[in-house]
Amino acid sequence: MKILYIIPLAMMLSCCSSVKNQSTTSNEKLDTQLLKDVEVLSSDAYQGRKTGTKGAEMARAYIIARFQKLGLKSYPQHVNYAQEFTFNSRNSAKVNGTNIIGYIPGKGNNAIVVSAHYDHLGVVKDEVYNGADDNASGTAGLLKIAAYFAKNKPNNTIIFAAFDAEEMGLQGAKAFVGNPPVPINTIAIDLNMDMISHSDKGELYVCGTFKYPDLKKYVDTTKTNIKLLFGHDDPKQGHDDWTNQSDQGAFNAKNIPFLYFGVEDHKDYHKPTDEYSTITKQFFSNAASAVLDVVKSIDKQTGLQQLLKDKMIMMDNPRKSEKF
Protein backbone atom coordinates (compact mmCIF):
# COMPACT_ATOMS: atom_id res chain seq x y z
CA MET A 1 0.00 0.00 0.00
CA LYS A 2 1.37 3.38 -0.95
CA ILE A 3 1.47 6.26 1.50
CA LEU A 4 -0.26 9.37 0.22
CA TYR A 5 1.61 12.60 0.73
CA ILE A 6 1.60 16.07 -0.78
CA ILE A 7 4.69 17.93 -1.93
CA PRO A 8 4.36 21.65 -2.70
CA LEU A 9 4.06 22.31 -6.43
CA ALA A 10 6.89 24.80 -6.42
CA MET A 11 9.19 22.12 -5.08
CA MET A 12 7.98 19.62 -7.68
CA LEU A 13 8.83 22.13 -10.40
CA SER A 14 12.32 22.56 -9.00
CA CYS A 15 15.31 20.32 -8.90
CA CYS A 16 13.84 17.92 -6.37
CA SER A 17 12.56 15.78 -9.22
CA SER A 18 15.79 15.72 -11.18
CA VAL A 19 16.49 12.45 -12.91
CA LYS A 20 19.41 10.51 -11.46
CA ASN A 21 22.21 9.35 -13.69
CA GLN A 22 21.16 6.09 -15.23
CA SER A 23 23.21 3.48 -17.01
CA THR A 24 22.10 2.30 -20.42
CA THR A 25 23.07 -0.57 -22.64
CA SER A 26 23.87 1.74 -25.54
CA ASN A 27 25.69 4.97 -26.24
CA GLU A 28 22.42 6.84 -26.58
CA LYS A 29 21.63 9.58 -24.12
CA LEU A 30 18.48 9.65 -22.07
CA ASP A 31 16.30 12.74 -22.40
CA THR A 32 16.45 14.07 -18.86
CA GLN A 33 13.67 16.66 -19.22
CA LEU A 34 11.37 14.07 -20.76
CA LEU A 35 12.01 11.71 -17.86
CA LYS A 36 11.65 14.47 -15.28
CA ASP A 37 8.20 15.34 -16.65
CA VAL A 38 7.08 11.73 -16.26
CA GLU A 39 8.66 11.38 -12.83
CA VAL A 40 6.86 14.46 -11.54
CA LEU A 41 3.45 13.78 -13.09
CA SER A 42 3.44 10.13 -11.99
CA SER A 43 4.59 10.78 -8.42
CA ASP A 44 2.33 9.91 -5.48
CA ALA A 45 1.88 13.63 -4.82
CA TYR A 46 -0.35 13.83 -7.91
CA GLN A 47 -2.60 11.05 -6.59
CA GLY A 48 -3.14 9.42 -9.97
CA ARG A 49 -4.46 12.58 -11.69
CA LYS A 50 -8.09 11.47 -11.73
CA THR A 51 -10.43 13.97 -13.37
CA GLY A 52 -11.97 16.36 -10.86
CA THR A 53 -9.42 15.75 -8.09
CA LYS A 54 -6.67 17.79 -6.47
CA GLY A 55 -4.13 15.61 -8.24
CA ALA A 56 -5.56 16.56 -11.63
CA GLU A 57 -5.45 20.21 -10.61
CA MET A 58 -1.78 19.84 -9.69
CA ALA A 59 -1.07 18.16 -13.04
CA ARG A 60 -2.72 21.05 -14.87
CA ALA A 61 -0.63 23.56 -12.93
CA TYR A 62 2.53 21.68 -13.89
CA ILE A 63 1.58 21.48 -17.59
CA ILE A 64 0.56 25.14 -17.67
CA ALA A 65 3.86 26.16 -16.09
CA ARG A 66 5.73 24.18 -18.76
CA PHE A 67 3.60 25.74 -21.53
CA GLN A 68 4.36 29.19 -20.18
CA LYS A 69 8.08 28.53 -19.91
CA LEU A 70 8.14 27.27 -23.50
CA GLY A 71 6.26 30.35 -24.70
CA LEU A 72 3.19 28.60 -26.11
CA LYS A 73 0.30 30.90 -26.92
CA SER A 74 -3.16 30.55 -25.38
CA TYR A 75 -6.31 31.02 -27.44
CA PRO A 76 -8.39 34.03 -26.32
CA GLN A 77 -11.38 31.81 -25.48
CA HIS A 78 -9.19 29.68 -23.19
CA VAL A 79 -8.11 31.64 -20.13
CA ASN A 80 -4.55 30.59 -19.30
CA TYR A 81 -4.76 27.62 -21.70
CA ALA A 82 -7.80 26.07 -19.95
CA GLN A 83 -10.72 24.69 -21.95
CA GLU A 84 -13.33 23.77 -19.37
CA PHE A 85 -16.15 21.33 -20.08
CA THR A 86 -18.71 19.22 -18.28
CA PHE A 87 -20.08 15.74 -18.91
CA ASN A 88 -22.10 13.08 -17.18
CA SER A 89 -20.29 10.10 -15.72
CA ARG A 90 -21.52 6.53 -16.07
CA ASN A 91 -23.62 6.96 -12.93
CA SER A 92 -25.09 10.19 -14.38
CA ALA A 93 -23.15 12.44 -12.01
CA LYS A 94 -22.02 15.76 -13.46
CA VAL A 95 -18.24 15.95 -13.83
CA ASN A 96 -16.10 19.00 -14.60
CA GLY A 97 -13.05 18.53 -16.79
CA THR A 98 -10.33 20.82 -18.10
CA ASN A 99 -8.22 20.48 -21.23
CA ILE A 100 -4.95 22.40 -21.47
CA ILE A 101 -4.60 23.88 -24.97
CA GLY A 102 -1.63 25.85 -26.27
CA TYR A 103 -0.36 26.56 -29.75
CA ILE A 104 2.53 27.75 -31.87
CA PRO A 105 1.41 29.71 -34.94
CA GLY A 106 2.55 28.55 -38.34
CA LYS A 107 2.85 30.25 -41.70
CA GLY A 108 -0.62 29.35 -42.95
CA ASN A 109 -4.12 28.39 -41.85
CA ASN A 110 -3.63 24.63 -41.59
CA ALA A 111 -3.40 23.18 -38.09
CA ILE A 112 -1.83 20.01 -36.73
CA VAL A 113 -3.03 18.79 -33.34
CA VAL A 114 -0.48 17.02 -31.14
CA SER A 115 -2.39 15.41 -28.29
CA ALA A 116 -2.05 13.29 -25.17
CA HIS A 117 -4.30 12.81 -22.15
CA TYR A 118 -2.92 13.72 -18.73
CA ASP A 119 -5.59 12.11 -16.53
CA HIS A 120 -5.45 8.64 -15.01
CA LEU A 121 -7.39 6.50 -12.51
CA GLY A 122 -6.60 8.24 -9.22
CA VAL A 123 -6.59 6.42 -5.88
CA VAL A 124 -8.34 3.04 -5.64
CA LYS A 125 -8.62 1.25 -2.27
CA ASP A 126 -5.88 3.45 -0.81
CA GLU A 127 -3.46 2.65 -3.64
CA VAL A 128 -2.23 5.32 -6.03
CA TYR A 129 -2.59 4.44 -9.71
CA ASN A 130 0.21 6.70 -10.90
CA GLY A 131 -0.17 6.11 -14.64
CA ALA A 132 3.46 6.72 -15.57
CA ASP A 133 3.05 5.04 -18.95
CA ASP A 134 -0.69 5.78 -19.09
CA ASN A 135 -0.33 8.62 -19.77
CA ALA A 136 2.28 10.77 -18.12
CA SER A 137 4.51 9.43 -20.90
CA GLY A 138 2.38 10.85 -23.71
CA THR A 139 2.07 14.17 -21.88
CA ALA A 140 5.86 14.34 -21.53
CA GLY A 141 6.21 13.51 -25.22
CA LEU A 142 3.86 16.38 -26.04
CA LEU A 143 6.01 18.76 -23.98
CA LYS A 144 9.15 17.53 -25.77
CA ILE A 145 7.58 18.22 -29.17
CA ALA A 146 6.37 21.64 -28.00
CA ALA A 147 9.90 22.49 -26.84
CA TYR A 148 11.29 21.69 -30.29
CA PHE A 149 8.78 23.80 -32.20
CA ALA A 150 9.06 26.65 -29.71
CA LYS A 151 12.62 27.02 -31.06
CA ASN A 152 11.89 25.99 -34.67
CA LYS A 153 8.89 27.78 -36.18
CA PRO A 154 6.52 25.29 -37.83
CA ASN A 155 5.02 25.60 -41.29
CA ASN A 156 1.59 24.67 -39.95
CA THR A 157 0.05 25.96 -36.75
CA ILE A 158 0.59 23.25 -34.14
CA ILE A 159 -1.98 22.92 -31.37
CA PHE A 160 -0.77 21.12 -28.26
CA ALA A 161 -3.74 19.52 -26.51
CA ALA A 162 -3.36 17.89 -23.10
CA PHE A 163 -6.74 16.25 -22.73
CA ASP A 164 -8.62 15.49 -19.52
CA ALA A 165 -11.03 12.62 -18.86
CA GLU A 166 -9.79 10.18 -21.49
CA GLU A 167 -10.22 7.42 -18.94
CA MET A 168 -13.90 8.36 -18.66
CA GLY A 169 -14.66 7.91 -22.34
CA LEU A 170 -12.47 10.34 -24.34
CA GLN A 171 -14.46 13.21 -22.85
CA GLY A 172 -11.77 15.86 -23.19
CA ALA A 173 -11.09 15.06 -26.83
CA LYS A 174 -14.82 15.01 -27.56
CA ALA A 175 -15.17 18.44 -25.94
CA PHE A 176 -12.29 19.72 -28.07
CA VAL A 177 -13.65 18.58 -31.43
CA GLY A 178 -17.12 19.73 -30.35
CA ASN A 179 -15.84 23.24 -29.68
CA PRO A 180 -12.43 23.59 -31.34
CA PRO A 181 -10.38 26.76 -30.97
CA VAL A 182 -10.01 27.01 -34.77
CA PRO A 183 -12.44 26.11 -37.57
CA ILE A 184 -12.54 22.33 -37.57
CA ASN A 185 -12.03 22.15 -41.31
CA THR A 186 -8.59 23.71 -40.84
CA ILE A 187 -7.41 20.81 -38.65
CA ALA A 188 -5.44 18.60 -41.02
CA ILE A 189 -4.49 15.77 -38.67
CA ASP A 190 -4.33 14.60 -35.05
CA LEU A 191 -1.10 13.02 -33.80
CA ASN A 192 -1.93 11.34 -30.51
CA MET A 193 0.33 9.68 -27.93
CA ASP A 194 -0.97 7.32 -25.26
CA MET A 195 1.45 4.92 -23.54
CA ILE A 196 4.82 5.38 -25.24
CA SER A 197 7.25 4.51 -22.44
CA HIS A 198 6.98 0.81 -21.56
CA SER A 199 8.09 -1.89 -23.99
CA ASP A 200 10.52 -4.68 -23.24
CA LYS A 201 10.56 -5.52 -26.96
CA GLY A 202 11.34 -1.98 -28.09
CA GLU A 203 8.14 -1.82 -30.16
CA LEU A 204 6.10 1.33 -30.77
CA TYR A 205 2.94 0.94 -32.83
CA VAL A 206 1.74 3.57 -35.29
CA CYS A 207 -2.00 3.23 -35.75
CA GLY A 208 -4.03 4.97 -38.47
CA THR A 209 -2.41 4.02 -41.75
CA PHE A 210 -5.01 1.34 -42.53
CA LYS A 211 -7.55 4.11 -43.12
CA TYR A 212 -4.98 6.66 -44.30
CA PRO A 213 -2.24 4.63 -46.05
CA ASP A 214 -0.52 7.67 -47.54
CA LEU A 215 0.58 8.65 -44.03
CA LYS A 216 3.04 5.75 -44.02
CA LYS A 217 5.58 7.81 -45.93
CA TYR A 218 5.94 10.20 -43.00
CA VAL A 219 6.93 7.40 -40.61
CA ASP A 220 10.58 6.35 -40.70
CA THR A 221 10.55 2.62 -39.97
CA THR A 222 14.25 2.21 -40.72
CA LYS A 223 15.41 3.44 -37.31
CA THR A 224 17.74 1.00 -35.63
CA ASN A 225 17.10 2.05 -32.02
CA ILE A 226 13.36 1.39 -32.01
CA LYS A 227 10.87 -0.78 -33.87
CA LEU A 228 8.12 1.32 -35.43
CA LEU A 229 5.32 -1.02 -36.43
CA PHE A 230 2.13 -0.32 -38.36
CA GLY A 231 -1.04 -2.02 -37.18
CA HIS A 232 -3.82 -2.28 -34.61
CA ASP A 233 -6.09 -0.27 -36.92
CA ASP A 234 -7.94 -2.83 -39.06
CA PRO A 235 -11.65 -2.97 -38.10
CA LYS A 236 -11.54 -6.75 -38.58
CA GLN A 237 -9.27 -6.98 -35.53
CA GLY A 238 -12.12 -6.24 -33.14
CA HIS A 239 -10.77 -5.20 -29.72
CA ASP A 240 -7.23 -5.16 -31.15
CA ASP A 241 -8.29 -2.32 -33.43
CA TRP A 242 -7.17 0.75 -31.47
CA THR A 243 -8.70 3.30 -33.84
CA ASN A 244 -11.23 4.57 -31.31
CA GLN A 245 -9.60 3.43 -28.07
CA SER A 246 -7.81 6.68 -27.23
CA ASP A 247 -8.35 10.37 -27.95
CA GLN A 248 -7.77 10.02 -31.70
CA GLY A 249 -11.18 8.33 -31.73
CA ALA A 250 -12.89 11.70 -31.25
CA PHE A 251 -11.05 13.06 -34.30
CA ASN A 252 -11.79 9.92 -36.29
CA ALA A 253 -15.49 10.44 -35.56
CA LYS A 254 -15.16 13.77 -37.38
CA ASN A 255 -13.22 12.10 -40.21
CA ILE A 256 -10.05 13.99 -39.33
CA PRO A 257 -6.95 11.96 -40.29
CA PHE A 258 -4.88 10.70 -37.37
CA LEU A 259 -1.84 8.76 -36.29
CA TYR A 260 -1.81 7.17 -32.85
CA PHE A 261 1.44 6.15 -31.17
CA GLY A 262 1.38 3.60 -28.38
CA VAL A 263 2.66 0.31 -27.01
CA GLU A 264 0.73 -2.89 -26.49
CA ASP A 265 -0.76 -3.59 -23.06
CA HIS A 266 1.80 -4.73 -20.51
CA LYS A 267 1.76 -6.25 -17.03
CA ASP A 268 1.49 -2.83 -15.35
CA TYR A 269 -1.34 -1.49 -17.50
CA HIS A 270 -4.08 -0.01 -15.28
CA LYS A 271 -2.32 -1.29 -12.17
CA PRO A 272 -0.66 0.52 -9.24
CA THR A 273 2.67 -0.72 -10.61
CA ASP A 274 2.46 1.59 -13.62
CA GLU A 275 4.93 3.98 -12.03
CA TYR A 276 8.13 5.75 -12.93
CA SER A 277 10.36 2.91 -11.77
CA THR A 278 8.77 0.45 -14.23
CA ILE A 279 8.93 2.40 -17.50
CA THR A 280 11.57 1.46 -20.08
CA LYS A 281 13.59 4.66 -19.99
CA GLN A 282 15.84 4.25 -23.02
CA PHE A 283 12.94 3.00 -25.12
CA PHE A 284 10.91 5.99 -23.97
CA SER A 285 13.59 8.47 -25.00
CA ASN A 286 13.82 6.78 -28.39
CA ALA A 287 10.04 6.61 -28.81
CA ALA A 288 9.48 10.29 -28.04
CA SER A 289 12.24 11.22 -30.50
CA ALA A 290 10.65 9.01 -33.15
CA VAL A 291 7.27 10.70 -32.70
CA LEU A 292 8.93 14.11 -32.95
CA ASP A 293 10.53 13.03 -36.23
CA VAL A 294 7.10 12.11 -37.60
CA VAL A 295 5.64 15.46 -36.57
CA LYS A 296 8.56 17.26 -38.20
CA SER A 297 8.13 15.23 -41.39
CA ILE A 298 4.41 15.99 -41.60
CA ASP A 299 4.92 19.68 -40.78
CA LYS A 300 7.32 20.06 -43.71
CA GLN A 301 4.32 19.77 -46.01
CA THR A 302 2.72 22.99 -47.16
CA GLY A 303 -0.91 22.88 -48.22
CA LEU A 304 -1.16 19.88 -45.92
CA GLN A 305 -4.92 19.48 -46.04
CA GLN A 306 -5.09 19.61 -49.82
CA LEU A 307 -2.31 17.05 -49.94
CA LEU A 308 -4.21 14.72 -47.65
CA LYS A 309 -7.41 15.26 -49.61
CA ASP A 310 -5.78 14.49 -52.95
CA LYS A 311 -3.65 11.52 -51.94
CA MET A 312 -5.38 9.74 -49.07
CA ILE A 313 -7.23 6.55 -49.88
CA MET A 314 -10.10 7.08 -47.46
CA MET A 315 -11.88 3.83 -46.85
CA ASP A 316 -15.12 5.28 -45.56
CA ASN A 317 -16.92 8.54 -44.89
CA PRO A 318 -14.58 11.07 -46.53
CA ARG A 319 -15.18 14.68 -45.52
CA LYS A 320 -16.91 15.47 -48.80
CA SER A 321 -18.86 18.42 -47.47
CA GLU A 322 -15.89 20.25 -45.99
CA LYS A 323 -13.74 22.72 -47.82
CA PHE A 324 -9.99 22.25 -47.45
Side-chain angles (χ1 to χ4, degrees):
M1 181 182 298
K2 296 180 180 177
I3 299 173
L4 299 183
Y5 57 91
I6 301 297
I7 297 175
L9 178 62
M11 186 178 297
M12 297 302 294
L13 289 170
S14 70
C15 295
C16 74
S17 295
S18 62
V19 178
K20 297 180 177 63
N21 292 331
Q22 303 174 58
S23 61
T24 65
T25 57
S26 70
N27 294 323
E28 298 168 284
K29 291 183 178 180
L30 293 170
D31 187 327
T32 55
Q33 181 62 59
L34 182 79
L35 292 171
K36 177 183 176 181
D37 288 334
V38 172
E39 186 178 21
V40 172
L41 289 169
S42 64
S43 67
D44 281 357
Y46 286 69
Q47 302 173 61
R49 309 184 308 278
K50 185 176 181 178
T51 300
T53 66
K54 179 66 175 178
E57 182 181 338
M58 291 174 65
R60 287 195 295 276
Y62 183 86
I63 296 165
I64 288 170
R66 295 281 282 113
F67 275 21
Q68 290 172 335
K69 185 175 181 179
L70 292 171
L72 271 61
K73 295 182 178 294
S74 179
Y75 285 102
Q77 63 268 48
H78 300 157
V79 178
N80 201 23
Y81 306 103
Q83 181 189 36
E84 297 179 348
F85 61 94
T86 61
F87 62 97
N88 292 325
S89 67
R90 292 183 177 91
N91 62 5
S92 299
K94 185 178 180 180
V95 180
N96 296 318
T98 307
N99 295 328
I100 305 302
I101 311 296
Y103 75 100
I104 299 173
K107 302 172 185 176
N109 294 325
N110 288 338
I112 296 170
V113 175
V114 175
S115 62
H117 75 91
Y118 69 88
D119 66 296
H120 194 54
L121 302 178
V123 180
V124 182
K125 295 181 180 179
D126 295 328
E127 288 193 288
V128 182
Y129 283 62
N130 289 305
D133 189 37
D134 186 13
N135 186 35
S137 68
T139 305
L142 180 150
L143 292 170
K144 176 186 175 75
I145 295 167
Y148 173 84
F149 284 104
K151 295 180 179 179
N152 300 273
K153 186 176 178 63
N155 287 310
N156 302 275
T157 292
I158 303 184
I159 301 171
F160 296 93
F163 290 135
D164 197 0
E166 188 271 352
E167 300 286 2
M168 296 183 174
L170 320 185
Q171 298 298 335
K174 290 176 180 178
F176 178 89
V177 298
N179 187 23
V182 297
I184 197 166
N185 64 344
T186 65
I187 297 176
I189 191 169
D190 172 52
L191 303 172
N192 186 49
M193 293 167 283
D194 192 349
M195 298 172 56
I196 62 169
S197 69
H198 189 146
S199 175
D200 296 330
K201 296 185 289 185
E203 295 177 347
L204 181 69
Y205 276 87
V206 186
C207 166
T209 62
F210 181 87
K211 186 172 183 179
Y212 303 102
D214 198 60
L215 289 177
K216 285 184 177 181
K217 67 184 180 183
Y218 302 113
V219 181
D220 181 3
T221 59
T222 64
K223 293 182 180 298
T224 58
N225 61 358
I226 191 171
K227 300 174 185 175
L228 291 175
L229 304 175
F230 297 115
H232 286 293
D233 51 9
D234 184 341
K236 294 179 181 178
Q237 292 179 289
H239 185 71
D240 283 333
D241 174 13
W242 297 347
T243 297
N244 297 309
Q245 293 187 24
S246 186
D247 289 317
Q248 73 279 351
F251 291 84
N252 183 53
K254 299 290 185 180
N255 292 302
I256 296 172
F258 68 91
L259 288 177
Y260 162 59
F261 304 87
V263 300
E264 292 187 319
D265 290 355
H266 46 75
K267 62 183 178 60
D268 300 310
Y269 171 67
H270 277 198
K271 290 183 171 62
T273 50
D274 182 11
E275 52 192 4
Y276 180 72
S277 63
T278 62
I279 67 172
T280 319
K281 296 177 178 62
Q282 187 63 67
F283 166 79
F284 180 33
S285 287
N286 295 342
S289 294
V291 178
L292 172 58
D293 286 346
V294 175
V295 181
K296 288 161 62 177
S297 180
I298 290 175
D299 179 62
K300 287 179 182 178
Q301 307 304 316
T302 56
L304 180 60
Q305 283 188 301
Q306 191 63 46
L307 181 70
L308 294 179
K309 179 184 177 183
D310 291 344
K311 294 186 177 181
M312 291 289 178
I313 301 173
M314 312 222 4
M315 302 202 64
D316 60 356
N317 297 321
R319 291 188 286 170
K320 295 178 180 179
S321 62
E322 294 183 9
K323 183 179 180 180
F324 288 80

